[in-house]
Amino acid sequence: MPRTREASFSDSQEWKLIVTFFVVSILLMTFFLAVPRQAMANVGAIHTVSLPVYSCGGVGSNHCYGVDDWRGGNTGAYTSINVVQLHAGNGIMNNSVWAWNVDTKHWMEAGYAVIYNHNYEFWYWAYIDNNGTYHERDSGAINSGDFGNEASVYVWQSSSTSWQAAIYGWVTNYLPGSVTASIKPNYIQIGQELGGTSGSSAYTANWNYNEWRGSNKKHGQSDPCLHSSPDITNYIANAIFLLHTIIRREKHTQIKKETTTL
Amino acid sequence: MKRLSALGLILTFAALLVAASTAMSSQASPNNQPPRPLGVTNPNHGTRPAGHMPAIQPRQTLVQARQVPTFTLADVNAYLQTDAVAQDAARQHLTRTITFISAQSVGKMINDDFSQDAPILCYVEFTGKQPFTLNEVKSPSPSSMPRFTKAFEVFDGVTGDLLTWGGMP
């Protein structure tokens, strides 16, 4: 009969094992606590990407975009954007959400922006009315306490002939009221727009908790409640649950987007 | 002793899991922002209006005299030297006209509502001999960038703030 050998530890060995385990545990805990801080810092404090030369607007050239979009009829959109520093260079830059119709070229958008002749960022919204007239309203300066936090940005159809926008930063808001417009969006787009030719840079921002609003009567036209996640799953072609988008501009006019599911 | 060590291991694992989940949740919801939209409502703390974009500086003498507008044509021209839309228009040699006009009239002209603003507004219009674009306009794509025959800026007659701006096809 082969002899079976039962593993056993003495008390001193056991204590050594326990102490070793505690040391490893403390190291792991330190790691877990440190990682989120690094990740949060990435949102608005560390990375800035600057472009040396580009052709993104001015007479005769187009703006550049780093965007994600969803196709399909909707009556509004919601997103939560990190408020970060944007430097317009010699043009404009904005982090925004758009609800637009690609066929009629009518849209409503909202977000925050900067322009070359102002040394501050501001909330804004803009739209094309039924006559094809472009309207934009710009706020006063975003408060320093808005930076490093997220801004809730909504655009939605408030009646069959009117649209509305609302922006809630951490400290300030911009609630410009209802406007007359009969936009029938078949696209929602989120991301960054750049106009100009030199000198811009931007800190990384995320567009979180992106949602769309439909004409489902369960919600009612007067009910601003946005669709919940399962509806998004049906709506987005790739069945993305919650979209977490990082827009990153790279060298020259190239704009790269990274999309991951949460 | 073996029971003691097993208990210690279990407790340590539990502490580790709690610490990790706390850290992960603080990352997912920074600054305790509400993670889901609850319709168009304020966040769970008060915010204050950011107001309009400051533009033309009112003259104190006119403010004290309670006159409207509180600034002059010269003040508007001086401000437009630093205004991005006006400078873009100047580069394209657009014609500029400045008028002080009732809020109601401006509302009809550009299909907007100024009932919450001053009764007299400053309306600045830029016109071109052919359709033009403004680099300051934001749009969802290059193909949707509108072309205008007229562009405008509207300033509050009391505060001098920029109330709105835009362009007509």
Side-chain angles (χ1 to χ4, degrees), chain B residues 38-121:
Chain B
L38 301 172
V40 185
T41 57
N42 274 310
N44 54 8
H45 67 279
T47 57
R48 62 171 185 268
H52 296 300
M53 179 173 278
I56 303 164
Q57 187 69 37
R59 291 185 179 227
Q60 282 310 305
T61 52
L62 297 176
V63 172
Q64 287 167 1
R66 295 178 182 274
Q67 287 191 24
V68 179
T70 58
F71 47 87
T72 66
L73 186 63
D75 297 328
V76 180
N77 276 313
Y79 168 76
L80 293 177
Q81 297 297 316
T82 65
D83 179 81
V85 171
Q87 291 306 299
D88 197 347
R91 277 192 295 275
Q92 299 185 61
H93 307 291
L94 304 181
T95 303
R96 181 169 86 197
T97 54
I98 302 170
T99 51
F100 292 98
I101 188 171
S102 74
Q104 200 173 12
S105 299
V106 178
K108 284 180 183 170
M109 285 163 60
I110 64 170
N111 189 29
D112 209 335
D113 178 17
F114 299 101
S115 57
Q116 303 297 312
D117 303 302
I120 300 293
L121 305 179

Side-chain angles (χ1 to χ4, degrees), chain A residues 14-15 25 29 39 58 63 65 117 134-136 138-140 143 149-150 154 168 170-173 189 209 211 229, chain B residues 1 5 12 16 27-28 31 33 35-36 39 42 45 47-48 50-51 82 110 135 137-140 164-167:
Chain A
E14 207 163 11
W15 275 114
S25 300
M29 287 172 74
H63 287 181
Y65 297 85
N117 64 329
Y134 174 82
H135 300 257
E136 178 171 331
D138 303 330
S139 79
N143 188 277
N149 290 295
E150 293 187 18
Y154 308 81
Y168 292 101
W170 190 247
V171 176
T172 61
N173 64 56
Q189 182 170 283
Y209 309 112
E211 295 189 11
S229 300
Chain B
M1 191 65 201
S5 61
T12 307
L16 197 60
Q27 182 188 12
N31 302 308
Q33 285 266 71
R36 307 293 299 166
N42 274 310
H45 67 279
T47 57
R48 62 171 185 268
T82 65
I110 64 170
N135 194 41
V137 167
K138 300 160 186 72
S139 71
T164 187
W165 65 277

Side-chain angles (χ1 to χ4, degrees), chain A residues 220-238:
Chain A
Q221 289 189 345
S222 63
D223 183 355
C225 186
L226 297 166
H227 276 242
S228 57
S229 300
D231 293 311
I232 292 178
T233 309
N234 293 330
Y235 180 63
I236 301 168
N238 295 325

Side-chain angles (χ1 to χ4, degrees), chain A residues 73-77 156-157 188 211-221 223-228 231 235:
Chain A
N74 66 83
T75 58
W156 77 98
Q157 185 182 34
I188 291 174
E211 295 189 11
W212 67 287
R213 185 174 178 241
S215 55
N216 189 329
K217 289 186 179 178
K218 281 191 288 187
H219 296 287
Q221 289 189 345
D223 183 355
C225 186
L226 297 166
H227 276 242
S228 57
D231 293 311
Y235 180 63

Side-chain angles (χ1 to χ4, degrees), chain A residues 133-262:
Chain A
T133 300
Y134 174 82
H135 300 257
E136 178 171 331
R137 292 214 175 195
D138 303 330
S139 79
I142 290 176
N143 188 277
S144 59
D146 290 315
F147 287 91
N149 290 295
E150 293 187 18
S152 299
V153 183
Y154 308 81
V155 292
W156 77 98
Q157 185 182 34
S158 47
S159 79
S160 59
T161 57
S162 64
W163 274 72
Q164 212 161 337
I167 303 168
Y168 292 101
W170 190 247
V171 176
T172 61
N173 64 56
Y174 196 45
L175 311 170
S178 179
V179 298
T180 303
S182 301
I183 304 162
K184 306 288 183 196
N186 52 16
Y187 247 78
I188 291 174
Q189 182 170 283
I190 55 170
Q192 188 175 86
E193 177 180 6
L194 170 67
T197 55
S198 67
S200 73
S201 64
Y203 286 76
T204 302
N206 298 323
W207 280 250
N208 299 312
Y209 309 112
N210 306 296
E211 295 189 11
W212 67 287
R213 185 174 178 241
S215 55
N216 189 329
K217 289 186 179 178
K218 281 191 288 187
H219 296 287
Q221 289 189 345
S222 63
D223 183 355
C225 186
L226 297 166
H227 276 242
S228 57
S229 300
D231 293 311
I232 292 178
T233 309
N234 293 330
Y235 180 63
I236 301 168
N238 295 325
I240 298 170
F241 176 52
L242 280 174
L243 192 69
H244 180 198
T245 305
I246 301 169
I247 310 290
R248 183 191 300 153
R249 292 181 299 110
E250 293 189 320
K251 291 178 183 177
H252 305 293
T253 57
Q254 293 298 313
I255 295 179
K256 182 183 178 183
K257 62 182 180 183
E258 292 179 359
T259 303
T260 54
T261 51
L262 291 179

